[in-house]
Amino acid sequence: GITSRLLKKLTDMQCFALFVSAMCHDLEHPGVNNLFLIKSRSSLAALYDETSILEKHHSYRAFELMLHSNIDLLSGLNSDEYSGFREMVMSIILATDMARHSEYVKQLNAVQQPEMAGKDLDPIFEMELLIKCADTSNVIKPFEVAKKWAMRVTDEFFLQGDLERANGMDVTPTCDRTKTSRVNLQKGFIDFVIGPFYKAVGNVVPAWQKAFEQIPVNRGAWDTYTDAMLEQELANS
């Protein structure tokens, strides 16, 4: 599988950093996005200088917990090991900031150039790709699962839009339940954002391609759905 193949390449410290990042990458997520935190003048936005706000907070809280005197998970690391571990965890979690998505698309394009043929991927970059794939993996799950995730994700978006409207803020288009289609959001995300990304990842890491085979199946299934059908079907789930 994807993970077992990658883990064989990683050091113990890199494996540890990957596991911690996976567990903590959405720690204390408030259910709104970074733009909302900036527009609402949240203290978190000020604290993290309005860049990768949530991702920095997830990382901060992860280390606050690991360093707590009742846990002290990192006590066995020396200074150099701790610094390296912290840098890896921060890098992996910050990779989930979709505002940085284009950076990873550019990096994927770069490593597909002829002069890069035969060269191994940087393990940190590969871990960042893995966390990005995992973070958006609702689109590669069986459709019966994917549609439930789609409902939950758009519920979260629409609740943010409700908050924006209630507070006199401009409503983020993808969060406006009065104008935005749940089904069309899924189609657009697959067609223009994550589908091309997964294709590029599969080109760079062929061993991962099998995990992405569900995408066209799900995309085709969305063509048979309307918002009303989705909401009625999942009303009691």
Side-chain angles (χ1 to χ4, degrees), residues 4 6 13 42 49 56 68 83 88 123 128 134 173 207 209 230 235:
S4 59
L6 177 57
M13 190 65 74
S42 163
D49 201 27
K56 289 176 182 175
H68 191 282
S83 296
M88 282 191 286
E128 291 170 353
Q209 287 178 349
L230 180 68

Side-chain angles (χ1 to χ4, degrees), residues 47-178:
L47 179 63
Y48 299 115
D49 201 27
E50 298 189 355
T51 57
S52 299
I53 301 161
L54 288 170
E55 294 74 23
K56 289 176 182 175
H57 184 65
H58 304 323
S59 303
Y60 164 75
R61 285 292 289 131
F63 276 90
E64 188 174 46
L65 289 171
M66 287 187 287
L67 295 170
H68 191 282
S69 59
N70 290 339
I71 300 173
D72 208 13
L73 186 63
L74 307 178
S75 60
L77 305 184
N78 62 38
S79 295
D80 288 343
E81 289 170 337
Y82 174 79
S83 296
F85 172 75
R86 184 177 183 279
E87 184 177 349
M88 282 191 286
V89 171
M90 291 286 293
S91 179
I92 296 167
I93 292 180
L94 262 64
T96 64
D97 182 0
M98 287 302 291
R100 299 182 59 211
H101 185 71
S102 62
E103 295 178 28
Y104 287 92
V105 173
K106 289 178 183 177
Q107 290 183 68
L108 284 166
N109 290 336
V111 298
Q112 292 181 75
Q113 297 306 306
E115 61 270 22
M116 298 297 291
K119 295 185 179 180
D120 289 335
L121 280 184
D122 174 73
I124 305 299
F125 180 54
E126 197 164 353
M127 288 191 288
E128 291 170 353
L129 291 179
L130 181 60
I131 201 83
K132 278 182 64 61
C133 289
D135 193 39
T136 55
S137 63
N138 56 300
V139 300
I140 61 175
K141 298 183 188 301
F143 189 68
E144 289 300 308
V145 178
K147 64 186 178 184
K148 293 178 182 179
W149 274 108
M151 190 73 174
R152 288 173 172 83
V153 168
T154 49
D155 278 347
E156 183 177 294
F157 286 178
F158 291 164
L159 287 172
Q160 174 177 317
D162 295 344
L163 277 175
E164 290 170 334
R165 186 176 290 106
N167 285 281
M169 300 158 61
D170 291 336
V171 179
T172 304
T174 55
C175 299
D176 191 341
R177 70 170 72 244
T178 69

Side-chain angles (χ1 to χ4, degrees), residues 178-199:
T178 69
K179 298 178 181 179
T180 299
S181 160
R182 296 177 190 264
V183 170
N184 286 343
L185 278 176
Q186 296 307 304
K187 291 179 180 180
F189 186 59
I190 292 172
D191 290 348
F192 303 112
V193 181
I194 213 62
F197 174 75
Y198 281 147
K199 183 177 180 180

